[in-house]
């Protein structure tokens, strides 16, 4: 959005979101005197690095999307991460704005404790909502009294419309919300963005990206753009040509087959990519990749909280891959889903997938971070994809 109006932007585009990755990206955009050749910095920050990042960067805006359980061996429980993020946001410089997802109860708890009111965003379309929390929902209770929250709508994971039965806590009213959401598998998403500001008309946004979780990403980007002074109609025009980053709904073609590479690295994320692939895109051919390296999290017990039962009776080809492929095979067995023998070699897993996928069909590769990198490196080696720094 910022580049589209002529600004020079520095960003950690490769996904290196620890403070070291931000430093490296900044150094790359600096001249020999140390002066930054950029007008803006846009950084994705790992939750554990957020306090230091805010201290060093002094941002004009800080955006928090959601808090889902991820890599418990590194970060601990969700509540401890929420407190760390809350303390970081409390140190935002004067005039900076916290832009927060009202639909996430733990993010709402953070925002309600800040001294300066945040800018809230959220979804407002019951036609795309579910009415029961998934098994992997992490924020189920009122942070004030501990009672089980009542969810009137569930969008993604535990994100939705919620309230405490005792009246102690409820979803904040979004300043910016998304209505009339239309989903088309992994291919397209469209939504009408409504603002509480009566002087700002509703804005229709459509872009070639799928999944309800991306409605949050779009709405968050829109909210940040508005906060930084960009015009709604410009934001809509700019997003029309958006393309996913490598490994995040990246589309590749080989011998008449479409390969859809989608990062899926925790229970909430996996459930949503499965929901999109199976229920919205009618997918039947899959590689599910699981690694347990440091960047993935070494504890893979979370796969038992993923609703792989969605694949039952729908997956025609299912290949467990990665260095923990055998763990996946056991999980699939308990889910009642037929799968091929597990394959730890990325090349052999790809060969099996291509063999099982007829020409003209799409195969979905849903993988944890380093499993995705392994498969993508094999695709590059075979000439099916370009190195990520060239995409």
């Amino acid at each position: 959005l910022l580049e589209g109006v002529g600004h020079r932007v520095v960003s950690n585009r490769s996904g290196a979101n620890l403070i070291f990755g931000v430093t490296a990206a900044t150094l790359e955009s600096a001249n020999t005197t140390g002066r930054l050749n950029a007008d803006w910095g846009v950084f994705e920050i790992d939750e554990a690095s957020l306090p230091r990042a805010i201290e060093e960067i002094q941002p004009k805006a800080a955006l928090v999307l959601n808090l889902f359980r991820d890599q418990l061996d590194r970060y601990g429980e969700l509540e401890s991460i929420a407190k760390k993020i809350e303390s970081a946001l409390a140190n935002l410089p004067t005039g900076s704005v916290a832009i927060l997802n009202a639909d996430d109860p733990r993010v709402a708890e953070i925002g309600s404790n800040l001294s300066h009111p945040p800018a809230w965003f959220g979804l407002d379309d019951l036609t795309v909502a579910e009415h029961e929390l998934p098994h992997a929902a992490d924020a189920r209770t009122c942070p004030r009294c501990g009672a089980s929250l009542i969810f009137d709508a569930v969008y993604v994971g535990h994100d939705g419309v919620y309230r405490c039965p005792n009246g102690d806590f409820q979803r904040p009213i979004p300043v910016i919300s998304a209505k009339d959401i239309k989903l088309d598998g992994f291919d397209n998403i469209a939504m009408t963005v409504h603002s509480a500001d009566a002087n700002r008309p509703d804005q229709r946004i459509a872009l070639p990206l799928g999944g309800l979780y991306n409605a949050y990403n779009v709405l968050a980007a829109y909210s940040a753009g508005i906060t930084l002074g960009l015009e709604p109609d410009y934001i809509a025009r700019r997003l029309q040509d958006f393309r996913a980053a490598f490994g995040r709904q990246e589309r590749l073609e080989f011998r008449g087959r479409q390969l859809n590479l989608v990062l899926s690295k925790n229970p909430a994320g996996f459930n949503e990519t499965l929901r999109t692939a199976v229920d919205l895109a009618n997918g039947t051919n899959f590689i599910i990749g699981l690694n347990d390296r440091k960047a993935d999290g070494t504890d893979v017990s979370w796969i038992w909280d993923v609703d792989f039962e969605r694949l039952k009776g729908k997956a025609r080809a299912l290949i467990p891959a990665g260095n923990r492929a055998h763990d996946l095979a056991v999980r699939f067995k308990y889910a009642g889903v037929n799968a091929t023998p597990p394959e730890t070699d990325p090349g052999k897993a790809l060969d099996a997938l291509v063999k099982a996928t007829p020409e003209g069909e799409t195969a979905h590769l849903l993988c944890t971070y380093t499993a995705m990198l392994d498969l993508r490196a094999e695709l590059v080696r075979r000439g099916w994809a370009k190195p990520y720094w060239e995409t």
Side-chain angles (χ1 to χ4, degrees):
L1 293 177
L2 291 168
E3 287 176 336
V5 290
H7 291 302
R8 298 171 300 172
V9 179
V10 57
S11 182
N12 50 340
R13 299 176 189 272
S14 69
N17 60 4
L18 299 178
I19 195 67
F20 313 107
V22 174
T23 303
T26 306
L27 282 171
E28 189 178 20
S29 295
N31 61 26
T32 54
T33 67
R35 184 174 180 82
L36 192 61
N37 296 318
D39 305 303
W40 287 91
V42 178
F43 301 110
E44 177 199 354
I45 302 295
D46 177 87
E47 51 266 47
S49 295
L50 185 61
R52 186 171 176 184
I54 285 181
E55 177 185 353
E56 295 187 6
I57 297 172
Q58 295 288 287
K60 292 184 178 296
L63 175 64
V64 180
L65 276 165
N66 45 52
L67 284 174
F68 295 135
R69 178 175 17 127
D70 189 28
Q71 301 186 32
L72 296 181
D73 53 301
R74 292 175 64 189
Y75 297 128
E77 294 293 341
L78 208 61
E79 287 74 13
S80 64
I81 290 296
K83 289 300 180 184
K84 180 170 289 189
I85 293 176
E86 181 181 323
S87 64
L89 296 181
N91 292 323
L92 284 171
T94 302
S96 179
V97 179
I99 306 170
L100 307 183
N101 181 4
D103 295 352
D104 188 308
R106 287 296 166 262
V107 176
E109 179 188 3
I110 291 171
S112 64
N113 293 330
L114 296 178
S115 57
H116 297 287
W120 298 107
F121 64 91
L123 306 188
D124 187 15
D125 186 348
L126 295 180
T127 65
V128 296
E130 297 184 342
H131 301 287
E132 291 185 3
L133 287 172
H135 178 68
D138 298 311
R140 298 171 176 267
T141 58
C142 172
R144 305 285 183 251
C145 68
S148 294
L149 292 172
I150 297 172
F151 280 79
D152 298 314
V154 177
Y155 292 118
V156 174
H158 54 242
D159 288 2
V161 180
Y162 51 85
R163 51 192 167 88
C164 170
N166 299 321
D168 295 326
F169 182 72
Q170 64 180 3
R171 175 209 193 206
I173 299 174
V175 175
I176 294 178
S177 58
K179 304 173 181 290
D180 190 22
I181 300 170
K182 303 300 181 185
L183 303 173
D184 181 16
F186 285 107
D187 294 327
N188 299 284
I189 189 171
M191 53 202 262
T192 298
V193 180
H194 173 76
S195 174
D197 184 350
N199 295 320
R200 186 178 294 134
D202 288 354
Q203 181 66 56
R204 190 67 177 170
I205 294 179
L207 70 165
L209 198 66
L212 184 59
Y213 53 93
N214 273 317
Y216 280 113
N217 289 329
V218 172
L219 195 61
Y222 180 95
S223 300
I226 292 297
T227 299
L228 299 178
L230 300 179
E231 293 298 324
D233 57 345
Y234 159 73
I235 295 174
R237 292 195 307 272
R238 182 68 173 167
L239 289 178
Q240 286 178 348
D241 299 322
F242 180 84
R243 291 294 180 269
F246 80 98
R248 280 82 165 171
Q249 294 191 24
E250 183 180 14
R251 293 298 186 95
L252 307 168
E253 184 175 352
F254 179 71
R255 295 177 183 172
R257 299 161 177 84
Q258 289 285 333
L259 305 181
N260 182 30
L261 193 56
V262 186
L263 180 67
S264 308
K265 65 189 188 74
N266 56 39
F270 236 120
N271 281 340
E272 287 307 311
T273 56
L274 280 171
R275 176 186 176 187
T276 304
V278 175
D279 298 342
L280 299 179
N282 298 315
T284 58
N285 310 301
F286 297 90
I287 280 180
I288 307 293
L290 177 67
N291 280 2
D292 64 350
R293 297 174 191 152
K294 187 173 182 180
D296 307 289
T298 56
D299 181 355
V300 299
S301 61
W302 57 267
I303 64 174
W304 293 90
D305 289 335
V306 178
D307 298 330
F308 287 117
E309 287 76 6
R310 284 185 182 270
L311 295 166
K312 189 175 182 179
K314 296 183 178 179
R316 185 176 61 215
L318 177 62
I319 300 157
N323 63 13
R324 297 301 289 267
H326 291 81
D327 297 74
L328 280 173
V330 173
R331 175 67 184 94
F332 294 154
K333 184 175 182 178
Y334 275 88
V337 182
N338 293 324
T340 67
E343 184 52 74
T344 58
D345 180 271
K348 292 181 179 179
L350 284 170
D351 289 339
L353 182 68
V354 171
K355 184 178 180 180
T357 304
E359 288 191 37
E361 292 194 7
T362 297
H364 302 285
L365 292 74
L366 312 182
C367 308
T368 60
Y369 185 63
T370 68
M372 179 268 290
L373 293 180
D374 290 347
L375 285 165
R376 201 182 186 287
E378 179 64 21
L379 291 168
V380 171
R381 188 186 70 79
R382 297 182 180 201
W384 301 0
K386 294 180 180 180
Y388 76 85
W389 56 85
E390 294 182 11
T391 59

